[in-house]
Coordinates of all heavy atoms in Angstrom, one line a residue:
I23 N -78.0 -105.4 4.4 CA -79.1 -105.4 3.5 C -80.0 -106.6 3.8 O -79.4 -107.8 3.8 CB -78.7 -105.4 2.0 CG1 -77.9 -104.1 1.7 CG2 -79.8 -105.5 1.1 CD1 -77.3 -104.2 0.3
C24 N -81.3 -106.5 4.0 CA -82.2 -107.6 4.2 C -82.4 -108.3 3.0 O -82.7 -107.7 1.8 CB -83.5 -107.1 4.8 SG -84.8 -108.3 4.9
H25 N -82.2 -109.6 2.9 CA -82.4 -110.5 1.7 C -83.8 -110.6 1.3 O -84.0 -111.0 0.2 CB -81.7 -111.7 1.9 CG -82.2 -112.7 2.8 ND1 -82.0 -112.7 4.2 CD2 -83.2 -113.7 2.7 CE1 -82.7 -113.5 4.9 NE2 -83.4 -114.2 4.0
R26 N -84.7 -110.4 2.2 CA -86.1 -110.5 1.8 C -86.7 -109.2 1.2 O -87.6 -109.4 0.3 CB -86.9 -110.9 3.1 CG -86.6 -112.3 3.5 CD -87.5 -113.0 4.3 NE -88.9 -112.9 3.9 CZ -89.8 -113.3 4.8 NH1 -89.6 -113.9 5.8 NH2 -91.0 -113.2 4.4
C27 N -86.5 -108.2 1.8 CA -87.1 -106.9 1.3 C -86.1 -105.8 0.7 O -86.6 -104.8 0.3 CB -87.9 -106.4 2.4 SG -87.1 -105.8 3.9
N28 N -84.8 -106.2 0.7 CA -83.8 -105.2 0.2 C -83.7 -104.0 1.0 O -83.3 -102.9 0.3 CB -84.0 -105.0 -1.3 CG -83.7 -106.3 -2.1 OD1 -82.9 -107.1 -1.6 ND2 -84.4 -106.5 -3.2
T29 N -84.1 -104.0 2.2 CA -84.1 -102.7 3.1 C -82.7 -102.6 3.5 O -82.0 -103.6 4.0 CB -85.1 -102.9 4.2 OG1 -86.3 -103.0 3.6 CG2 -85.0 -101.6 5.1
K30 N -82.2 -101.4 3.7 CA -80.8 -101.1 4.2 C -81.1 -100.9 5.7 O -81.9 -100.1 6.1 CB -80.2 -100.0 3.7 CG -79.8 -100.1 2.2 CD -79.2 -98.8 1.6 CE -78.9 -99.0 0.2 NZ -78.5 -97.8 -0.5
I31 N -80.4 -101.7 6.6 CA -80.6 -101.7 8.0 C -79.4 -101.1 8.7 O -78.2 -101.6 8.5 CB -80.8 -103.1 8.6 CG1 -81.9 -103.8 7.9 CG2 -81.1 -103.0 10.1 CD1 -83.3 -103.3 8.0
F32 N -79.5 -99.9 9.4 CA -78.4 -99.4 10.1 C -78.8 -99.1 11.5 O -80.0 -98.6 11.7 CB -78.1 -98.0 9.5 CG -76.9 -97.3 10.3 CD1 -75.6 -97.7 10.2 CD2 -77.2 -96.3 11.2 CE1 -74.6 -97.1 10.9 CE2 -76.3 -95.7 11.9 CZ -75.0 -96.2 11.8
P33 N -78.1 -99.5 12.5 CA -76.9 -100.3 12.5 C -77.1 -101.7 12.1 O -78.1 -102.2 12.3 CB -76.3 -100.1 13.8 CG -77.4 -99.8 14.7 CD -78.5 -99.1 13.9
A34 N -76.0 -102.3 11.5 CA -76.1 -103.7 11.0 C -76.6 -104.7 12.1 O -77.1 -105.7 11.7 CB -74.8 -104.1 10.4
E35 N -76.4 -104.4 13.4 CA -76.7 -105.3 14.4 C -78.2 -105.5 14.5 O -78.7 -106.4 15.2 CB -76.2 -104.8 15.8 CG -74.7 -104.8 15.9 CD -74.1 -103.6 15.2 OE1 -74.7 -102.5 15.3 OE2 -72.9 -103.7 14.8
L36 N -79.0 -104.6 14.0 CA -80.4 -104.7 14.1 C -81.0 -105.6 13.0 O -82.2 -105.8 12.9 CB -81.1 -103.3 13.9 CG -80.8 -102.3 15.0 CD1 -81.4 -101.0 14.8 CD2 -81.3 -102.9 16.3
L37 N -80.2 -106.2 12.1 CA -80.7 -107.1 11.1 C -81.4 -108.3 11.7 O -82.5 -108.7 11.1 CB -79.5 -107.5 10.2 CG -79.9 -108.4 9.0 CD1 -80.9 -107.8 8.1 CD2 -78.7 -109.0 8.3
D38 N -80.9 -108.9 12.7 CA -81.6 -110.0 13.4 C -83.0 -109.7 13.8 O -83.9 -110.5 13.6 CB -80.8 -110.6 14.5 CG -79.5 -111.2 14.1 OD1 -79.5 -111.7 13.0 OD2 -78.5 -111.3 14.9
A39 N -83.2 -108.5 14.4 CA -84.5 -108.1 14.9 C -85.4 -107.9 13.7 O -86.5 -108.2 13.7 CB -84.4 -106.9 15.7
H40 N -84.9 -107.3 12.6 CA -85.7 -107.1 11.4 C -86.1 -108.5 10.8 O -87.3 -108.6 10.4 CB -84.8 -106.3 10.4 CG -85.5 -106.1 9.1 ND1 -86.4 -105.1 8.9 CD2 -85.4 -106.7 7.9 CE1 -86.8 -105.1 7.7 NE2 -86.2 -106.1 7.1
L41 N -85.2 -109.4 10.8 CA -85.6 -110.8 10.2 C -86.6 -111.4 11.2 O -87.4 -112.2 10.6 CB -84.3 -111.6 10.1 CG -83.4 -111.1 9.0 CD1 -82.1 -111.9 8.9 CD2 -84.1 -111.1 7.6
D42 N -86.5 -111.2 12.4 CA -87.5 -111.8 13.4 C -88.9 -111.2 13.1 O -89.9 -111.9 13.1 CB -87.2 -111.4 14.8 CG -85.9 -112.3 15.3 OD1 -85.6 -113.3 14.7 OD2 -85.4 -111.9 16.4
R43 N -88.9 -110.0 12.7 CA -90.3 -109.3 12.4 C -90.8 -110.0 11.1 O -92.1 -110.2 11.0 CB -90.2 -107.8 12.2 CG -90.0 -107.1 13.6 CD -90.2 -105.7 13.5 NE -89.1 -104.9 12.9 CZ -88.0 -104.6 13.6 NH1 -87.8 -105.0 14.8 NH2 -87.0 -104.1 12.9
H44 N -89.9 -110.3 10.2 CA -90.4 -111.0 8.9 C -91.0 -112.4 9.3 O -92.0 -112.8 8.8 CB -89.2 -111.3 8.0 CG -89.0 -110.1 7.1 ND1 -89.8 -109.5 6.2 CD2 -87.8 -109.4 6.9 CE1 -89.3 -108.6 5.6 NE2 -88.1 -108.4 6.0
Q45 N -90.3 -113.0 10.2 CA -90.8 -114.4 10.7 C -92.1 -114.3 11.4 O -93.0 -115.2 11.2 CB -89.7 -115.1 11.6 CG -90.0 -116.5 11.8 CD -88.9 -117.2 12.6 OE1 -87.9 -116.5 13.0 NE2 -88.9 -118.5 12.6
I46 N -92.3 -113.3 12.3 CA -93.5 -113.2 13.0 C -94.6 -112.9 12.1 O -95.7 -113.5 12.2 CB -93.3 -112.0 14.1 CG1 -92.5 -112.5 15.2 CG2 -94.7 -111.6 14.6 CD1 -92.0 -111.4 16.1
K47 N -94.4 -112.1 11.0 CA -95.4 -111.7 10.0 C -95.8 -113.0 9.3 O -97.0 -113.3 9.0 CB -95.0 -110.6 9.1 CG -96.0 -110.2 8.1 CD -95.5 -109.1 7.2 CE -96.5 -108.7 6.1 NZ -96.0 -107.7 5.3
D48 N -94.8 -113.9 8.9 CA -95.1 -115.0 8.2 C -95.9 -116.0 9.0 O -96.9 -116.6 8.5 CB -93.7 -115.8 7.8 CG -93.0 -115.1 6.7 OD1 -93.6 -114.2 6.1 OD2 -91.8 -115.3 6.6
L49 N -95.6 -116.1 10.3 CA -96.4 -117.0 11.2 C -97.8 -116.5 11.3 O -98.8 -117.3 11.3 CB -95.8 -117.1 12.6 CG -94.5 -117.8 12.7 CD1 -93.8 -117.7 14.1 CD2 -94.6 -119.3 12.3

Side-chain angles (χ1 to χ4, degrees):
I23 298 176
C24 176
H25 68 276
R26 292 201 41 189
C27 62
N28 293 325
T29 301
K30 294 177 185 174
I31 307 294
F32 176 78
E35 294 82 32
L36 295 178
L37 181 63
D38 288 335
H40 178 80
L41 293 175
D42 287 344
R43 285 192 286 280
H44 278 299
Q45 188 174 15
I46 290 168
K47 183 177 178 182
D48 289 345
L49 291 173

